[in-house]
Amino acid sequence: MLDFKTEVYPLMLEKLAENRRYFTKTENEPNFVRLDGETVEVRTMKSKPNYEKIPYEFFEKTWNILQEKGRVVQNDLSNVHNVKRSAFMLIAFDLLDEVQYKDFNNSLVLKDWSPNQ
């Protein structure tokens, strides 16, 4: 199993740094990304002109859910797991080779997942 803090998160930061703008999966709304060291900041149409810091814990919690369940729908991420930047989590995690976005139910799926890993 990959360690999130030392293996997955640095790779995610590297991938996020490749572009300044990403689009949400369902509404196609722009998210402007700025990295400050290991901190991810995002400006949306709602937060404009300000960038808002996305807590590292949101990324880690999303990864832990994927490790445990193999998948998570955006609605559950936000309403059940209290990850409030769930639309951005779908963008960020979809950049990883290990994770796949499924548009039919707006979810993330961990590839090659099996219970009791």
Side-chain angles (χ1 to χ4, degrees), residues 41-75:
E41 298 175 338
V42 176
R43 186 185 85 211
T44 61
M45 299 312 276
K46 241 189 261 179
S47 72
K48 191 177 176 183
N50 300 319
Y51 279 82
E52 296 177 347
K53 179 183 173 188
I54 299 190
Y56 167 81
E57 293 74 27
F58 287 179
F59 294 99
E60 189 174 49
K61 192 174 206 178
T62 302
W63 180 252
N64 290 339
I65 294 163
L66 285 170
Q67 290 291 308
E68 184 184 326
K69 300 182 190 258
R71 67 177 54 237
V72 65
V73 296
Q74 182 187 349
N75 194 37

Coordinates of all heavy atoms in Angstrom, one line a residue, residues 41-75:
E41 N -3.7 25.9 -2.9 CA -4.6 27.0 -2.8 C -5.4 27.0 -4.1 O -4.8 26.8 -5.1 CB -3.9 28.3 -2.5 CG -3.1 28.3 -1.2 CD -2.3 29.6 -1.1 OE1 -2.0 30.3 -2.1 OE2 -2.0 29.9 0.1
V42 N -6.7 27.2 -3.9 CA -7.6 27.2 -5.1 C -8.5 28.4 -5.1 O -9.0 28.8 -4.1 CB -8.5 25.9 -5.1 CG1 -9.4 25.9 -6.3 CG2 -7.6 24.7 -5.2
R43 N -8.6 29.0 -6.3 CA -9.5 30.1 -6.5 C -10.6 29.6 -7.4 O -10.4 29.1 -8.5 CB -8.8 31.3 -7.1 CG -9.7 32.6 -7.2 CD -9.0 33.7 -8.0 NE -9.2 33.5 -9.4 CZ -8.4 33.8 -10.3 NH1 -7.2 34.4 -10.0 NH2 -8.7 33.6 -11.6
T44 N -11.9 29.8 -7.0 CA -13.0 29.4 -7.8 C -13.8 30.7 -8.2 O -13.5 31.8 -7.7 CB -13.9 28.5 -7.0 OG1 -14.4 29.2 -5.8 CG2 -13.2 27.2 -6.6
M45 N -14.8 30.5 -8.9 CA -15.7 31.7 -9.3 C -16.3 32.2 -8.0 O -16.5 33.4 -7.9 CB -16.8 31.3 -10.3 CG -16.2 30.7 -11.6 SD -15.0 31.8 -12.3 CE -16.0 33.0 -13.2
K46 N -16.6 31.4 -7.1 CA -17.2 31.8 -5.8 C -16.2 32.5 -4.9 O -16.6 33.5 -4.2 CB -17.7 30.6 -5.0 CG -19.2 30.6 -4.8 CD -19.6 29.4 -3.8 CE -20.1 28.3 -4.6 NZ -20.5 27.1 -3.8
S47 N -15.0 32.1 -4.9 CA -14.0 32.7 -4.0 C -13.3 33.9 -4.6 O -12.5 34.6 -3.9 CB -13.0 31.7 -3.5 OG -12.1 31.3 -4.6
K48 N -13.4 34.1 -5.9 CA -12.7 35.1 -6.6 C -12.9 36.5 -5.9 O -14.0 36.8 -5.5 CB -13.3 35.2 -8.0 CG -12.5 36.0 -9.0 CD -13.1 35.9 -10.4 CE -12.4 36.8 -11.3 NZ -13.0 36.8 -12.6
P49 N -11.8 37.3 -5.7 CA -10.5 37.1 -6.2 C -9.5 36.4 -5.3 O -8.3 36.3 -5.5 CB -10.0 38.6 -6.3 CG -10.7 39.2 -5.1 CD -12.0 38.5 -5.0
N50 N -10.1 35.8 -4.2 CA -9.2 35.1 -3.2 C -8.9 33.7 -3.5 O -9.8 33.0 -4.0 CB -9.8 35.3 -1.8 CG -10.0 36.7 -1.4 OD1 -9.2 37.5 -1.6 ND2 -11.2 37.0 -0.8
Y51 N -7.7 33.2 -3.2 CA -7.4 31.8 -3.2 C -7.7 31.3 -1.8 O -7.4 32.0 -0.8 CB -5.9 31.6 -3.5 CG -5.6 31.7 -5.0 CD1 -5.4 32.9 -5.6 CD2 -5.4 30.6 -5.7 CE1 -5.1 33.0 -7.0 CE2 -5.1 30.6 -7.1 CZ -5.0 31.9 -7.7 OH -4.7 31.9 -9.0
E52 N -8.2 30.1 -1.7 CA -8.5 29.5 -0.4 C -7.6 28.2 -0.3 O -7.5 27.4 -1.2 CB -10.0 29.1 -0.3 CG -10.9 30.3 -0.4 CD -12.4 29.9 -0.4 OE1 -12.7 28.7 -0.6 OE2 -13.2 30.7 -0.2
K53 N -7.0 28.1 0.9 CA -6.2 27.0 1.2 C -7.0 25.8 1.4 O -8.1 25.8 2.0 CB -5.4 27.3 2.5 CG -4.5 26.2 3.0 CD -3.9 26.5 4.3 CE -3.1 25.2 4.8 NZ -2.6 25.4 6.1
I54 N -6.6 24.7 0.8 CA -7.3 23.4 1.0 C -6.5 22.6 2.0 O -5.3 22.3 1.7 CB -7.4 22.6 -0.4 CG1 -8.2 23.5 -1.3 CG2 -8.1 21.3 -0.1 CD1 -8.7 22.8 -2.6
P55 N -7.1 22.3 3.1 CA -6.4 21.6 4.1 C -5.8 20.2 3.7 O -6.5 19.5 3.0 CB -7.4 21.4 5.3 CG -8.4 22.4 5.0 CD -8.5 22.6 3.5
Y56 N -4.6 19.9 4.0 CA -4.0 18.7 3.7 C -4.8 17.5 4.2 O -4.9 16.5 3.5 CB -2.6 18.6 4.4 CG -2.0 17.2 4.4 CD1 -1.3 16.7 3.3 CD2 -2.1 16.4 5.5 CE1 -0.8 15.5 3.2 CE2 -1.6 15.1 5.5 CZ -0.9 14.6 4.4 OH -0.4 13.4 4.3
E57 N -5.5 17.7 5.3 CA -6.4 16.6 5.9 C -7.5 16.2 4.9 O -7.9 15.0 4.9 CB -7.0 17.1 7.2 CG -6.0 17.3 8.3 CD -5.2 18.5 8.2 OE1 -5.6 19.5 7.5 OE2 -4.0 18.5 8.7
F58 N -8.0 17.1 4.0 CA -9.0 16.7 3.1 C -8.4 15.7 2.1 O -9.1 14.8 1.7 CB -9.5 18.0 2.3 CG -10.4 18.8 3.1 CD1 -10.9 20.0 2.6 CD2 -10.7 18.6 4.5 CE1 -11.8 20.8 3.3 CE2 -11.6 19.4 5.2 CZ -12.1 20.5 4.6
F59 N -7.2 16.0 1.6 CA -6.5 15.0 0.7 C -6.3 13.7 1.4 O -6.6 12.6 0.8 CB -5.2 15.6 0.2 CG -5.3 16.8 -0.6 CD1 -5.1 18.1 -0.1 CD2 -5.7 16.8 -2.0 CE1 -5.2 19.2 -0.8 CE2 -5.8 17.9 -2.8 CZ -5.6 19.2 -2.2
E60 N -5.8 13.7 2.6 CA -5.4 12.5 3.3 C -6.7 11.7 3.6 O -6.7 10.5 3.4 CB -4.7 12.8 4.6 CG -4.1 11.6 5.3 CD -3.3 12.0 6.5 OE1 -3.7 12.8 7.3 OE2 -2.2 11.4 6.6
K61 N -7.8 12.4 4.0 CA -9.0 11.7 4.3 C -9.6 11.0 3.1 O -10.1 9.9 3.2 CB -10.0 12.7 4.9 CG -11.2 12.1 5.5 CD -12.0 13.2 6.2 CE -12.9 12.6 7.3 NZ -13.6 13.7 8.0
T62 N -9.6 11.7 2.0 CA -10.1 11.2 0.7 C -9.3 9.9 0.3 O -9.9 8.9 0.0 CB -10.0 12.2 -0.4 OG1 -10.7 13.4 0.0 CG2 -10.5 11.6 -1.7
W63 N -8.0 10.0 0.5 CA -7.1 8.8 0.2 C -7.5 7.6 1.1 O -7.6 6.5 0.7 CB -5.7 9.2 0.3 CG -4.7 8.0 0.0 CD1 -4.0 7.4 0.9 CD2 -4.4 7.4 -1.2 NE1 -3.3 6.4 0.3 CE2 -3.5 6.4 -1.0 CE3 -4.9 7.7 -2.5 CZ2 -3.0 5.6 -2.1 CZ3 -4.4 6.9 -3.6 CH2 -3.5 5.8 -3.3
N64 N -7.6 7.9 2.4 CA -8.0 6.9 3.4 C -9.3 6.2 3.0 O -9.4 5.0 3.2 CB -8.0 7.4 4.8 CG -6.6 7.8 5.3 OD1 -5.6 7.3 4.7 ND2 -6.5 8.6 6.3
I65 N -10.3 7.0 2.6 CA -11.6 6.4 2.2 C -11.4 5.5 1.0 O -11.9 4.4 1.0 CB -12.6 7.5 1.9 CG1 -12.9 8.3 3.2 CG2 -13.9 7.0 1.3 CD1 -13.5 9.7 2.9
L66 N -10.6 6.0 0.0 CA -10.4 5.1 -1.1 C -9.6 3.8 -0.8 O -10.0 2.8 -1.3 CB -9.5 5.9 -2.2 CG -10.3 7.0 -2.9 CD1 -9.3 7.9 -3.7 CD2 -11.3 6.4 -3.9
Q67 N -8.7 3.9 0.1 CA -8.0 2.7 0.6 C -8.9 1.7 1.3 O -8.8 0.5 1.1 CB -6.8 3.1 1.5 CG -5.7 3.8 0.9 CD -4.9 3.0 0.0 OE1 -4.4 1.9 0.4 NE2 -4.7 3.4 -1.2
E68 N -9.8 2.3 2.0 CA -10.7 1.4 2.8 C -11.9 0.9 2.0 O -12.2 -0.3 2.1 CB -11.3 2.3 4.0 CG -12.1 1.5 4.9 CD -12.8 2.3 6.0 OE1 -12.1 3.3 6.5 OE2 -13.9 2.1 6.4
K69 N -12.5 1.7 1.2 CA -13.7 1.3 0.5 C -13.5 1.0 -1.0 O -14.4 0.5 -1.7 CB -14.8 2.4 0.6 CG -15.1 2.6 2.1 CD -16.2 3.6 2.2 CE -16.4 4.0 3.6 NZ -17.5 3.6 4.4
G70 N -12.4 1.6 -1.6 CA -12.2 1.4 -3.0 C -12.8 2.4 -3.9 O -12.4 2.5 -5.1
R71 N -13.8 3.1 -3.4 CA -14.5 4.2 -4.2 C -15.1 5.1 -3.2 O -15.4 4.8 -2.1 CB -15.5 3.5 -5.1 CG -16.7 2.9 -4.4 CD -17.7 2.3 -5.3 NE -17.1 1.4 -6.3 CZ -17.2 1.6 -7.6 NH1 -17.9 2.6 -8.1 NH2 -16.7 0.7 -8.4
V72 N -15.4 6.3 -3.8 CA -16.2 7.3 -3.0 C -16.9 8.2 -4.0 O -16.3 8.7 -5.0 CB -15.4 8.1 -2.0 CG1 -14.3 9.0 -2.7 CG2 -16.3 8.9 -1.0
V73 N -18.2 8.5 -3.8 CA -18.9 9.4 -4.6 C -18.8 10.8 -4.0 O -18.6 11.0 -2.8 CB -20.4 9.1 -4.8 CG1 -20.6 7.7 -5.5 CG2 -21.2 9.0 -3.5
Q74 N -18.8 11.8 -4.9 CA -18.6 13.2 -4.4 C -19.5 13.6 -3.3 O -19.2 14.2 -2.3 CB -18.6 14.2 -5.6 CG -18.3 15.6 -5.1 CD -18.6 16.7 -6.1 OE1 -18.7 16.4 -7.3 NE2 -18.5 17.9 -5.7
N75 N -20.8 13.3 -3.5 CA -21.8 13.7 -2.5 C -21.5 13.1 -1.1 O -21.6 13.8 -0.1 CB -23.2 13.2 -3.0 CG -24.3 13.8 -2.2 OD1 -24.3 15.0 -1.8 ND2 -25.3 13.0 -1.9

